Amino acid sequence: MKKNFQKGLTLIEMIVTIAIFIVTMGALFLFIYWGYKTYNFAFQQNKAIREARRGIETMVKEIREAREGEDGSYPIEKADDFEFIFYSDIDRDDRVERVRYFLEGTEFKKGVIDPTGWPISYPSENEKIEVLSRYVRNGATPIFTYYNKDWPEDTVNNPLTTPTSLQETTLMHVYLKINVNPEKVPQDFELESDVQIRNLRPQE
């Protein structure tokens, strides 16, 4: 009886050991799985932020140099909350391109049309579009806010209401809120910048 009892005890020990092993491996798997998901999310978030930052830096430089289009168009064609269209020589080829920055869904995009033909025109079918930033979560908060030459002294008439009077706009504020997954941390990352349009700067 003693011998059989010892064999039974060994079997129980094996079952307990196996159970502990399974639980340990399961916990380890979950730890690795959630660790990977957290790392992957953080990586995607940082990548989205880098893309957005580069996009804003490029956009600010291009908007600052806005000028009259080669077809005689005013430097700014449209100034809305989520779309801004202007003319600028963005590639330094001595030709003025029509540039459009706009939000489509959660993607912030850039469209460019080169001048063509005679008389010169900017055919919409020639627009080349690229995605600058994904995971944009601005919601109802405008990407573009506009101010006139009297800002910041004039807080009554600024910011300008949209669609704004194009001739009034001399200064812009750009704002993007980025989050790969709003249901997870980290929190929304905010990018913003001001840009003075040089060719529209009021004369002293």
Side-chain angles (χ1 to χ4, degrees), residues 4 12-13 61 70 78-79 108 114 122 145 148 164 187:
N4 291 337
I12 293 174
E13 289 176 344
K61 292 177 183 177
E70 292 194 19
K78 183 177 182 180
F108 187 56
D114 292 318
Y122 295 87
T145 308
N148 64 26
T164 126
Q187 300 296 320

Side-chain angles (χ1 to χ4, degrees), residues 66-132:
R67 64 188 66 182
E68 187 177 277
E70 292 194 19
D71 61 350
S73 297
Y74 188 72
I76 302 175
E77 180 178 315
K78 183 177 182 180
D80 214 337
D81 291 346
F82 298 97
E83 183 177 31
F84 183 67
I85 303 175
F86 63 104
Y87 295 87
S88 182
D89 179 13
I90 63 174
D91 53 10
R92 300 292 188 270
D93 64 350
D94 294 323
R95 301 299 305 273
V96 179
E97 291 80 28
R98 178 186 183 270
V99 187
R100 180 168 70 110
Y101 282 97
F102 62 103
L103 183 67
E104 188 171 75
T106 58
E107 294 183 335
F108 187 56
K109 298 182 176 182
K110 174 183 179 179
V112 178
I113 304 176
D114 292 318
T116 185
W118 187 261
I120 293 174
S121 64
Y122 295 87
S124 58
E125 62 270 18
N126 291 353
E127 185 178 37
K128 298 176 182 178
I129 297 176
E130 62 176 315
V131 177
L132 296 179

Side-chain angles (χ1 to χ4, degrees), residues 5-59:
F5 175 76
Q6 289 177 340
K7 287 183 178 179
L9 185 62
T10 301
L11 181 60
I12 293 174
E13 289 176 344
M14 288 178 61
I15 292 173
V16 171
T17 301
I18 291 172
I20 292 173
F21 175 78
I22 292 174
V23 171
T24 301
M25 292 303 296
L28 181 61
F29 172 79
L30 286 175
F31 176 78
I32 294 173
Y33 173 75
W34 287 110
Y36 172 78
K37 287 196 68 174
T38 300
Y39 169 80
N40 186 59
F41 172 71
F43 175 81
Q44 293 296 328
Q45 180 87 339
N46 289 333
K47 180 181 177 181
I49 291 168
R50 288 196 303 271
E51 289 177 351
R53 181 177 286 116
R54 284 197 299 268
I56 284 186
E57 289 174 353
T58 300
M59 178 173 61

Side-chain angles (χ1 to χ4, degrees), residues 1 13 16 30 48 52 56 60-61 64 81 89 93 127 136 141-142 149 154 156 165 176-177 179 185 187 199:
M1 293 294 294
E13 289 176 344
V16 171
L30 286 175
I56 284 186
V60 165
K61 292 177 183 177
R64 185 178 292 125
D81 291 346
D89 179 13
D93 64 350
E127 185 178 37
V136 177
T141 305
K149 62 183 179 58
D154 180 5
V156 175
S165 170
L176 283 182
K177 184 187 294 183
N179 198 335
V185 293
Q187 300 296 320
N199 290 327

